[in-house]
Amino acid sequence: MIGLVQRVSSASVTVDGCVVGAIERGILVLAAVEPADTDAQVERMAERLLGYRIFPDAAGKMNRSVQEIDGGVLLVPQFTLAADTTRGMRPSFTSAAPPALGEALFDRLVRAVRRRYACETGQPTIETGRFGADMKVALVNDGPVTFWLRAG
């Protein structure tokens, strides 16, 4: 499982002209599922996403997680992250999970993040894109700060 994590001031995803998910300060995660991924990778990715320290502490060092700042999480399925781009001029998607497995594990990732997120201020903002849809993603990348995570 791959997660492209971006620290954002705000982010949203739109499908057919309607906003289906939006957050303020937090992380935007573009998530890709690979064929060999299992629930173990889903749980590890959820743990890493919520615990990865990419927000500044009082001294300005990246030392706080999205949970520690009570930030939002916007999870967007993005199978193209799993593309094989090593040959030619056109990506191959044989390294991405088939749609049924991709959707099932993406949904499990969303549930795992919701289950694991402990928020000091009540209910955390956890939003999603829509699997298989033509999505328009808007974001204000804070920093910019972007990390490519693997859970394997």
Side-chain angles (χ1 to χ4, degrees), residues 13 20-22 73-77 106 110 114 126-130:
V13 61
V20 296
V73 178
L74 177 56
L75 296 156
V76 178
F106 177 77
V110 172
R114 285 186 172 139
I126 300 172
E127 300 280 332
T128 69
R130 190 172 297 155

Side-chain angles (χ1 to χ4, degrees), residues 57-78:
D57 61 15
K61 293 188 184 225
M62 280 195 264
N63 206 23
R64 300 181 74 207
S65 71
V66 70
Q67 279 189 281
E68 291 172 308
I69 66 148
D70 290 333
V73 178
L74 177 56
L75 296 156
V76 178
Q78 175 102 32

Side-chain angles (χ1 to χ4, degrees), residues 21-40:
I23 63 168
E24 293 302 319
R25 185 176 187 220
I27 58 174
L28 166 65
V29 180
L30 304 175
V33 178
E34 296 172 290
D37 287 342
T38 65
D39 285 336

Side-chain angles (χ1 to χ4, degrees), residues 7-59:
R7 186 178 77 188
V8 298
S9 299
S10 63
S12 65
V13 61
T14 303
V15 176
D16 295 329
C18 296
V19 174
V20 296
I23 63 168
E24 293 302 319
R25 185 176 187 220
I27 58 174
L28 166 65
V29 180
L30 304 175
V33 178
E34 296 172 290
D37 287 342
T38 65
D39 285 336
Q41 282 78 30
V42 168
E43 291 298 326
R44 177 67 175 137
M45 183 59 75
E47 176 185 39
R48 294 197 77 201
L49 294 174
L50 295 176
Y52 214 63
R53 299 181 308 175
I54 63 173
F55 291 89
D57 61 15

